[in-house]
Amino acid sequence: MLDHPPVAGAISVCYAGILVCGVLALAVRSRRALVRVDGAVLVLAVALVVCVTG
């Protein structure tokens, strides 16, 4: 992490985003909103994998 600070920052942002999406998944009321939260988690997970492997 000390060698690549921008990648470490991106990983931290991804984890924070997934945490926020977890809270939103418990708070949203409609099915459409839950689908959007699930999509956001998927996008963040893909970004996390790209950051870790790249």
Side-chain angles (χ1 to χ4, degrees), residues 12-40:
S12 296
V13 168
C14 286
Y15 278 124
I18 290 173
L19 179 64
V20 169
C21 287
V23 172
L24 285 175
L26 295 172
V28 297
R29 295 184 182 262
S30 69
R31 186 172 181 90
R32 177 180 280 177
L34 188 58
V35 168
R36 288 181 180 165
V37 171
D38 287 343

Side-chain angles (χ1 to χ4, degrees), residues 7 10-11 14 40-54:
V7 175
I11 290 171
C14 286
V41 170
L42 181 61
V43 168
L44 286 169
V46 169
L48 185 61
V49 168
V50 168
C51 287
V52 171
T53 59

